[in-house]
Amino acid sequence: MAEKSLRNRIIDASLHLFEIQGYHGVTVDRIIEETSSSKGGFYHNFKSKDELLYFIHDEFITYALTKAKEAYETHTTSTERICTIVQFFLQVFDLYKSHITVFYQESVYLKPEYSELIKKKRKEFKQILFRVLQEGVESGEFRTELPVNITTMSIIGMINWTYKWYRKDGEMSINEITDVFTDLIIHSIVHEDRRENEQVTQFFIKNR
Amino acid sequence: MAEKSLRNRIIDASLHLFEIQGYHGVTVDRIIEETSSSKGGFYHNFKSKDELLYFIHDEFITYALTKAKEAYETHTTSTERICTIVQFFLQVFDLYKSHITVFYQESVYLKPEYSELIKKKRKEFKQILFRVLQEGVESGEFRTELPVNITTMSIIGMINWTYKWYRKDGEMSINEITDVFTDLIIHSIVHEDRRENEQVTQFFIKNR
DNA sequence: ATAATAAGACCGACCAGTCTGTCTTATCCA
DNA sequence: TGGATAAGACAGACTGGTCGGTCTTATTAT
């Protein structure tokens, strides 16, 4: 097996350290120590510590955005789409928890140039979710009395907050969490008479 | 009107600055400049910058905890209790948004001694919410198929996340948000046949 | 008088980023 | 084939600035 490049080792170590101690709680020297490398090695691979932070942000949001688009395109009903996005996003916690934590905790420290780039992609992501809900309301799948913007944010909130408490080795598996969250969301937004539990459940089991 | 003490002016300014730029993005000199005071004044009122951060954390969590206990004690059904807590917590955003932002963004930078103290109160708070849901399930008000721990976190998540997007001068008022969130939560956890919409709505209007 | 604050010089630690140099690998030419 | 050269990847000492915190002196209000 090919050894990991220093660049990747730096990213992995930073992710881990930033997650626990925060961007400003971790010095470049600490990262170097962790990767058994040197200042030279670090600055050979990254223009600055800020650029490293940006890279981590971008890697995650780019991935999330791609997956959300994919989920939108490969499904037809709003219920399926929302379920797929929720499902995907929670599954990602097992792979990208550090990225996500850094993303939501440290983005204030992004330099303005970087910040702009990230903001754009974030907005795009939110738009997709918003659109799914909007279309669901219009098609009659979802309860019409719900203001779409607030509902969107409530869903984003409950999912995103997971990074604050989820532990890979905790008592709740990501699959359990996914099932419960999906159930809660379905109950809160889908019309009662449109809620075909069997079907939704089936949909999930076969997609896991 | 009595002038604000320097201590309070420092807290207000820090809150505002920390919220926008993060704890490490704000220097003590910047706080002094903002409050038209001095190093002497600052260190007369606070042992250190860390202590100031702790104070902000404590002020908020103490308030939240008190209110949650109060909500628990002054109501009898789980539905009323959960609604009151949700309602209260969202209303607090108008008053304590900066506290909340600092609380959720900067707690990693608390010194260990301080961190322990805060953690205790946070845990207590979570326990109250957990207990309300647990009792609601036991009494048959809430859907029994829901695992209480995950549901608790989903509610905490959708509420807490609000600090990321809510703007006092935005298009959605905190009252609208409260109504929608309550509606979503009621639909997601309360048994369909137990859901007396009229009653819940009434309960809200009279309490606002 | 005493406490609260202002003013601001100064210290020392810390830390991002630089600079010079070394070692390895790839390329090219005779 | 082998010697010369260039390029990339890293090592590590060093620098320059920043920032939290101290200290001293002066001022104001109760």
Side-chain angles (χ1 to χ4, degrees), chain B residues 57-68:
Chain B
H57 273 72
D58 190 62
E59 187 168 62
F60 168 68
I61 191 66
T62 300
Y63 179 69
L65 189 54
T66 310
K67 287 290 182 179

Side-chain angles (χ1 to χ4, degrees), chain A residues 23-37:
Chain A
Y23 180 68
H24 286 287
V26 178
T27 66
V28 174
D29 283 326
R30 183 72 186 76
I31 296 169
I32 284 159
E33 191 193 328
E34 192 71 18
T35 51
S36 315
S37 64

